[in-house]
Amino acid sequence: MAWIVQYLWLIPVLPAAAAALIAFAKRSQRRLAATLAIGSLGVSLALALIAFVHALAHPAMEYVNFQWLQFGSEWIKFGWMLDPLTAVMLVMVTFVGLLIFIFSVGYMNHDENFTRFFCFLSLFAGAMLGVVIANNLLLLFMCWEVVGLTSYLLIGFWFHKPEAAAAAKKAFIVTRIGDLGLFLGMMWLYHLSGTLLFYDNGLGCLEHSAVAALATRAAALGLTAASGIGLLVFCGAAGKSGQVPLHVWLPDAMEGPTPVSALIHAATMVAAGVFLIARMYPLIAATPNGGVSAALEVIAWVGAITALFAACIAVAQNDIKRILAYSTVSQLGYMMLGLAVGGVAVGMFHLITHAFFKALLFLGAGSIIHGCSEEQNIRYMGGLRKLMPVTFATYAIAMLALCGFPLFAGFWSKDEILNSAHLWSVASAPFYMGAAGAFLTAFYMTRQVCYVFFGQRRPAPHSAAKPVHESPAVMTWPLIILSIFAALLGFVGTPAWPWFQAFVEGHALTFSLGAFAENGTVPLMVVSTIIVIVGIGIGWWLYGREPIAHSDEPDALERLQPAIFRALGQRLYVDELYNLTILAFAHLCARVFDWTDRWVWNGAVHLVAIGTKTVARFDSLLDAHAINAGFDTGCESFSVSGRLLSRLQNGRSQNYLRVLGVALVVLVLLLFWGRKG
Amino acid sequence: MSVPFLILAAITIAAAVAAMTLRKLVHCALALAVCLVGLAGLYLDLGAEFVGLAQVLVYVGAVVILIVFAILLTRSDEHQSHGSSRILSGVAVSACVFGVLAWAVVTSGTKESPNAMLPQGAMKQIGVALMQRYVLPLEIVGLLLTAALIGAVVIAMEEKQNTK
Amino acid sequence: MTPLNGCLLISALLFSIGLGGALTRRSAILVLIGIELMLNAANLNFIAFWRYGPHPEAMTGVLFVIFSIAIAAAEAAVGLALIVSIYRHAKTTDLSRLDSMKG
């Protein structure tokens, strides 16, 4: 086995070790913290590239398993694996992560908790890489939980702000709800297949024999066991990847620093859910006799609904990061849809391209926020095109990639998804929902770009008009690097030369322009291009042609449809619904338990206390009156008898003589009788 | 059990009873004297001449006189009221004692008393024994008598007032 | 009734008379008289056993009685001195009133 596969474990362990070391560093040792974090991730990147090259040469999967915990005669085994999917994810996570780390050096420069930030970032990187290489669902889950933990720590990084603390708690709790489903699925899988290792010489739970057994076994509700497990696992993925209805934490997670939003909530952590589905795809897609499994159908519908729902809400948001957050939710819906209708390659392709341009968008937003002195409302920006040219150029490239403008990265990946949705045998509604979502994506991104970069500068009334400056080089170079990828990455997955799909799915690779002609690929490309141009056009018509001059003016869409705009602005009242139902129920439970604790358990304790006190009082009474009295009487009788006996000593010698006489008589009698007897 | 023996015994017993029951103390002392003389007579009858005469000399001649002197010195022959219960219990005890002793004497099988021949020259033997075998008790008794003499004088002496 | 028994009975009688008087009378001097009677009864006992017992030539009984008489004399002297001293202190020889040793 190649040494890189043997030492693949170094890739997650190095950043985690760096995090451990940084935890002991003092707050003032910023350089040390940043060096450790960036250095460790850099080495991980190098190793990931080596692994990628190795996987290119040896596309067959390789894994190393080791025994971890023994109970009884059974061992739980953990392990790591290297296959094309893993290799691609490794490179993406380390590369994007490294760029964002470097960006953070500039962005968090003014923050006094710089060291703590890098500690958490490193820990996150280690945990995420652990999720990627894990060969055991349990090990994956453990790293998954650490990822969730670091997300909590980083969202609530500025924990003095109550909104940030609340957002961190919300993120953790909502993803927990999803994780519950994942845990149940894991337990069920272990119960049915006896192992949680993915690949283990034919014995793993994703290998043919186990999958076939699970696919033919029937569970409740007309599902097969495989589909049931798949749906439960999807619960966890839905929580982590912000699918409707568990999407509510992602927009609030924007309370964290922007590099956190870029890394965790755009590129990597939210992609972990998609990655999990991709990893467990053999099990989720398994059907006893061909066709589409029930789990995949559900995933497709949920993905499509999420894509459309989030895109609608994004149209009416005013915070630059909220728009991007809802955009992320929408794109995650696309990824799930792609996985479900098109397979692992389609979903993963969009995940990889999305990572790059979404990270770029967030970092650009970070640059804008940094340049506008922490202003985040797009209504108070404007005209930044001339003031921050590099940021504008990279942002524009990323926006075009996201919209799916022809030839940019997002175009190819989104087209793959729409193509597969169009060809889906089960239903065609997801395709139309996806198309509508694409239109809306173009529309709201144009709206955002017009608000931020075009028009006049509209500083907020409450803040003085500080000068806007372009960000320093340490922040702009990552932007530039990412923009190159955002522009060109799509070319590895075009239908003519589907290198990505071939690599991930292990097909043979051919270069043929003729692939464009088949399956209605070209017409679909034309259709999607038209959708994008129409979307951008309408956005330009409403926002770019006559950009609002003053921040008090109402939004163009608000003028046209005020009620819908307001509903969308309020995020379609999902949070309020949850407040009324789930949170109210939780409060009720809390009150019930409080009452029980106060009256029942407390009462029991009080009863015990009263009982003890009663016994104690009874004891004391007993002691005072029975035992003491007993002793006293005993001693009394002694003194009484003493007094009685002392009457013998009356000082009269004749009495004594009498006694002597009697004693003499008795003695003689005794002697005589004794002798006679 | 010859007649003189019985007469002497009767006198002794009667005098003893009188000594214990008479009212006036001096009469009691004199009755004691008579009793002791009777006892001396008994001794003589039994053949212990020296003891009998010693008895008269010491007991009657000295002890009784001493008792009379004490009586005279203490003037206690005023009323002697007797409590009847006291008398009854005392008499009962002494009766019991007598009963037990008499019973012991009567029921014990005594050997036929040999009418042994009294030794001749008993006086001489007494003297020899005193000087040979019993010389230590003799000396001790002498010491005792000295001590008793001094002690009695000391006890009965009036407390000096430390005046010359 | 052997002569020995007769002497022993007489001595027993004498002893109990002396005991009765010592127990009954209240005057200390009379108690002393009773004690003297008891002593004498014991002496008579000794002489009787000497006379009617074996080996009268050993003179044991006689010598015993001689010593007894001497000691009785000493005891009578000391006792009477005590009575005189007590009379001087307590102004009485009534035994029922001399009970300061009671406990």
Side-chain angles (χ1 to χ4, degrees):
Chain A
M1 188 162 297
W3 73 269
I4 182 60
V5 180
Q6 285 283 72
Y7 288 97
L8 202 66
W9 57 271
L10 278 176
I11 298 184
V13 165
L14 281 174
L21 285 173
I22 298 173
F24 289 109
K26 290 193 288 231
R27 198 188 281 183
S28 55
Q29 289 167 306
R30 301 166 143 226
R31 264 178 180 252
L32 176 69
T35 316
L36 274 175
I38 293 175
S40 64
L41 197 58
V43 174
S44 290
L45 173 63
L47 288 172
L49 286 170
I50 297 174
F52 183 72
V53 167
H54 177 85
L56 278 177
H58 307 95
M61 171 189 313
E62 293 171 76
Y63 48 87
V64 172
N65 292 337
F66 59 91
Q67 290 174 326
W68 181 63
L69 180 70
Q70 183 182 32
F71 51 110
S73 54
E74 282 184 21
W75 280 94
I76 296 183
K77 291 160 83 165
F78 279 177
W80 58 83
M81 58 190 286
L82 179 61
D83 69 338
L85 176 65
T86 315
V88 165
M89 274 298 280
L90 278 177
V91 172
M92 186 273 278
V93 171
T94 47
F95 186 64
V96 174
L98 186 64
L99 289 175
I100 293 176
F101 276 31
I102 296 173
F103 183 85
S104 307
V105 173
Y107 189 81
M108 298 297 284
N109 198 21
H110 304 304
D111 197 297
E112 59 171 10
N113 290 309
F114 188 87
T115 316
R116 182 158 63 99
F117 188 72
F118 273 95
C119 174
F120 292 157
L121 271 186
S122 259
L123 182 61
F124 166 79
M128 185 69 206
L129 292 165
V131 168
V132 169
I133 70 169
N135 190 24
N136 180 317
L137 188 54
L138 181 60
L139 178 60
L140 195 149
F141 185 67
M142 286 157 78
C143 295
W144 177 279
E145 292 296 304
V146 178
V147 166
L149 168 72
T150 48
S151 164
Y152 167 83
L153 290 170
L154 284 164
I155 294 173
F157 186 71
W158 291 313
F159 54 83
H160 306 290
K161 274 203 311 177
E163 303 94 13
K169 200 167 56 159
K170 184 174 183 176
F172 198 78
I173 292 175
V174 173
T175 49
R176 214 70 192 110
I177 297 172
D179 289 346
L180 183 63
L182 175 56
F183 196 72
L184 286 173
M186 198 164 69
M187 289 293 102
W188 194 8
L189 179 61
Y190 183 71
H191 173 68
L192 286 181
S193 70
T195 176
L196 284 174
L197 274 175
F198 290 144
Y199 296 99
D200 186 22
N201 268 330
L203 296 170
C205 57
L206 290 181
E207 294 187 274
H208 182 73
S209 57
V211 167
L214 288 168
T216 46
R217 191 193 168 105
L221 297 172
L223 294 169
T224 59
S227 280
I229 294 173
L231 278 175
L232 285 172
V233 169
F234 178 63
C235 286
K240 241 343 170 259
S241 293
Q243 307 294 304
V244 170
L246 294 172
H247 69 282
V248 289
W249 66 272
L250 223 159
D252 283 12
M254 297 299 119
E255 296 287 342
T258 310
V260 169
S261 306
L263 182 60
I264 297 185
H265 304 121
T268 43
M269 185 182 106
V270 293
V274 181
F275 176 75
L276 177 65
I277 301 296
R279 179 66 97 205
M280 306 233 12
Y281 194 78
L283 185 62
I284 297 175
T287 49
N289 45 8
V292 177
S293 76
L296 281 185
E297 270 187 63
V298 171
I299 294 176
W301 281 106
V302 171
I305 293 171
T306 305
L308 186 57
F309 187 85
C312 289
I313 299 181
V315 167
Q317 297 299 312
N318 283 330
D319 185 318
I320 189 172
K321 285 172 69 175
R322 291 281 144 103
I323 299 175
L324 293 176
Y326 278 104
S327 168
T328 308
V329 175
S330 174
Q331 297 303 308
L332 287 166
Y334 273 107
M335 288 178 224
M336 289 296 186
L337 176 62
L339 271 180
V341 301
V344 172
V346 173
M348 289 303 296
F349 189 35
H350 195 57
L351 187 151
I352 300 288
T353 56
H354 171 267
F356 282 94
F357 55 69
K358 194 45 74 65
L360 175 55
L361 280 172
F362 268 105
L363 290 186
S367 175
I368 293 168
I369 294 169
H370 185 85
C372 290
S373 315
E374 315 306 324
E375 178 58 66
Q376 287 189 256
N377 193 333
I378 56 175
R379 297 176 72 81
Y380 298 133
M381 301 175 189
L384 295 181
R385 181 170 46 128
K386 300 192 185 69
L387 298 169
M388 302 175 76
V390 177
T391 309
F392 169 64
T394 52
Y395 203 87
I397 293 173
M399 171 251 177
L400 290 174
L402 173 57
C403 296
F405 199 79
L407 300 183
F408 283 86
F411 172 68
W412 302 108
S413 55
K414 201 179 285 192
D415 243 33
E416 285 283 314
I417 296 175
L418 289 174
N419 209 358
S420 310
H422 184 65
L423 294 173
W424 203 38
S425 51
V426 177
S428 57
F431 167 71
Y432 290 111
M433 289 159 88
F439 166 72
L440 286 171
T441 306
F443 177 69
Y444 67 67
M445 284 313 289
T446 313
R447 170 176 176 266
Q448 187 190 38
V449 168
C450 291
Y451 259 111
V452 173
F453 291 106
F454 292 95
Q456 309 172 359
R457 176 103 173 83
R458 299 179 299 273
H462 51 264
S463 67
K466 296 194 202 105
V468 174
H469 55 275
E470 180 61 88
S471 303
V474 73
M475 288 167 72
T476 51
W477 271 105
L479 295 177
I480 296 171
I481 296 173
L482 282 173
S483 63
I484 299 173
F485 279 92
L488 302 177
L489 193 59
F491 287 113
V492 301
T494 62
W497 186 63
W499 174 85
F500 187 83
Q501 288 83 332
F503 180 54
V504 168
E505 287 184 345
H507 304 154
L509 179 61
T510 54
F511 177 74
S512 71
L513 285 169
F516 281 116
E518 57 187 71
N519 282 339
T521 312
V522 170
L524 198 61
M525 284 165 63
V526 170
V527 167
S528 64
T529 311
I530 293 174
I531 292 174
V532 170
I533 292 179
V534 167
I536 294 180
I538 296 183
W540 172 263
W541 180 268
L542 283 176
Y543 296 100
R545 206 159 46 89
E546 301 164 356
I548 60 172
H550 211 259
S551 51
D552 296 343
E553 283 181 28
D555 190 284
L557 204 54
E558 196 175 358
R559 263 180 277 135
L560 291 173
Q561 294 282 353
I564 298 180
F565 191 78
R566 214 173 315 120
L568 291 176
Q570 291 299 318
R571 302 165 316 215
L572 287 176
Y573 304 110
V574 176
D575 278 307
E576 285 75 6
L577 178 70
Y578 284 161
N579 259 346
L580 281 175
T581 53
I582 297 174
L583 292 183
F585 178 70
H587 280 199
L588 178 68
C589 283
R591 270 204 297 280
V592 168
F593 286 129
D594 182 52
W595 182 89
T596 313
D597 188 54
R598 223 178 273 274
W599 292 105
V600 177
W601 308 129
N602 230 16
V605 172
H606 272 304
L607 272 177
V608 170
I610 290 172
T612 312
K613 278 202 275 194
T614 315
V615 171
R617 211 167 290 142
F618 173 72
D619 259 339
S620 84
L621 281 175
L622 190 71
D623 188 53
H625 292 118
I627 297 175
N628 267 2
F631 272 118
D632 284 344
T633 327
C635 299
E636 278 280 327
S637 67
F638 267 117
S639 58
V640 162
S641 58
R643 240 175 282 135
L644 279 173
L645 280 174
S646 71
R647 282 215 224 129
L648 280 175
Q649 300 269 345
N650 59 0
R652 304 213 182 137
S653 40
Q654 282 173 317
N655 269 9
Y656 302 161
L657 270 174
R658 264 173 249 257
V659 173
L660 275 173
V662 171
L664 174 71
V665 168
V666 168
L667 188 63
V668 170
L669 280 174
L670 275 175
L671 280 172
F672 264 91
W673 252 309
R675 211 182 54 149
K676 284 237 162 99
Chain B
M1 305 297 275
S2 54
V3 172
F5 179 83
L6 285 171
I7 296 172
L8 281 168
I11 293 173
T12 310
I13 303 285
V17 172
M20 291 283 87
T21 52
L22 286 177
R23 276 186 177 272
K24 293 208 169 186
L25 273 181
V26 181
H27 297 169
C28 296
L30 293 174
L32 177 69
V34 171
C35 171
L36 291 174
V37 168
L39 264 174
L42 278 172
Y43 292 154
L44 286 171
D45 183 63
L46 287 173
E49 296 95 359
F50 180 69
V51 176
L53 292 170
Q55 164 102 345
V56 170
L57 271 174
V58 173
Y59 261 116
V60 182
V63 175
V64 172
I65 303 299
L66 200 54
I67 289 172
V68 169
F69 264 112
I71 291 170
L72 290 176
L73 276 173
T74 59
R75 283 185 189 269
S76 60
D77 46 4
E78 287 97 20
H79 63 94
Q80 298 276 330
S81 57
H82 310 282
S84 56
S85 66
R86 266 181 58 244
I87 297 175
L88 202 62
S89 64
V91 169
V93 170
S94 62
C96 285
V97 172
F98 174 67
V100 164
L101 286 173
W103 175 69
V105 165
V106 166
T107 56
S108 65
T110 45
K111 289 191 256 188
E112 281 293 319
S113 57
N115 266 332
M117 289 302 294
L118 288 177
Q120 303 301 319
M123 259 329 292
K124 187 173 173 205
Q125 281 176 327
I126 290 173
V128 165
L130 272 178
M131 283 299 139
Q132 285 184 350
R133 196 165 163 219
Y134 296 98
V135 65
L136 185 62
L138 179 71
E139 299 302 328
I140 291 173
V141 165
L143 193 63
L144 174 73
L145 284 169
T146 317
L149 171 71
I150 298 171
V153 167
V154 166
I155 290 171
M157 210 159 53
E158 289 208 15
E159 287 191 4
K160 283 261 173 75
Q161 295 300 325
N162 256 4
T163 52
K164 230 5 176 152
Chain C
M1 177 67 74
T2 56
L4 176 62
N5 278 7
C7 283
L8 292 180
L9 278 174
I10 291 168
S11 104
L13 190 58
L14 209 57
F15 183 87
S16 50
I17 291 169
L19 182 64
L23 291 181
T24 318
R25 302 300 296 265
R26 282 216 317 215
S27 173
I29 296 173
L30 278 166
V31 172
L32 211 73
I33 292 173
I35 291 170
E36 292 301 327
L37 275 176
M38 286 194 267
L39 265 168
N40 276 285
N43 287 348
L44 179 61
N45 227 339
F46 272 115
I47 297 296
F49 271 114
W50 169 73
R51 174 66 176 79
Y52 294 112
H55 306 294
E57 65 277 7
M59 298 297 208
T60 320
V62 169
L63 281 162
F64 212 104
V65 171
I66 288 171
F67 285 123
S68 170
I69 290 173
I71 290 168
E75 168 253 321
V78 173
L80 287 162
L82 273 173
I83 290 172
V84 166
S85 175
I86 287 171
Y87 175 79
R88 223 179 270 140
H89 184 261
K91 301 289 185 283
T92 178
T93 56
D94 188 343
L95 276 179
S96 62
R97 276 200 265 173
L98 291 172
D99 59 358
S100 62
M101 290 281 272
K102 74 174 170 191

